[in-house]
Amino acid sequence: VRLLARIDSKKRLYFAPLQGITAQRFLPAEVRASLNTIVFKPAGSLSIQILSEAILGALKACHCGAYAGACCLQIIPKQWRDAGYNWIAHRRHALGRQLCLLQPTFTSRQLP
């Protein structure tokens, strides 16, 4: 989340916890209960993306150098990308204690 918030210079992305009101509004209960991951909902779209698809969608929404990176990563098969995402997600606390927390400067973009 911190990385996405940092590279989103035009502040197009907003962040909401999966247990929050915003997630309850957009995600069915069974989806929220089974997820422990990032979810991306493109503006104006009814669909949601999860795991590596969500990361790619969020990077593309940033419209910076991250867009080109997302396009390059998209050539990797989804199964491999999701495996890589899960590997990092399960080890995120070992990689950096506060890797997923929002800094105070990003809280204005946090939804309930």
Side-chain angles (χ1 to χ4, degrees):
V1 168
R2 286 173 41 192
L3 174 64
L4 287 172
R6 209 173 314 126
I7 65 173
D8 181 24
S9 60
K10 299 206 182 206
K11 298 181 178 21
R12 291 185 173 114
L13 299 178
Y14 288 85
F15 306 93
L18 290 173
Q19 304 80 14
I21 296 167
T22 304
Q24 290 175 7
R25 186 171 159 209
F26 290 105
L27 301 174
E30 62 275 1
V31 173
R32 286 192 321 272
S34 66
L35 288 178
N36 186 17
T37 185
I38 185 172
V39 174
F40 179 70
K41 183 185 174 302
S45 173
L46 296 177
S47 67
I48 61 167
Q49 300 165 341
I50 60 171
L51 300 171
S52 66
E53 289 292 321
I55 293 291
L56 294 179
L59 289 172
K60 288 178 179 179
C62 290
H63 289 287
C64 58
Y67 185 91
C71 289
C72 291
L73 289 172
Q74 199 162 8
I75 65 170
I76 298 171
K78 183 180 180 334
Q79 182 179 354
W80 293 3
R81 283 185 319 213
D82 286 349
Y85 175 87
N86 286 328
W87 186 88
I88 292 170
H90 287 111
R91 290 160 183 80
R92 70 183 181 270
H93 296 295
L95 296 171
R97 285 193 56 93
Q98 296 184 2
L99 193 62
C100 294
L101 299 177
L102 285 179
Q103 294 176 348
T105 55
F106 303 133
T107 55
S108 64
R109 295 166 50 200
Q110 187 171 8
L111 302 172

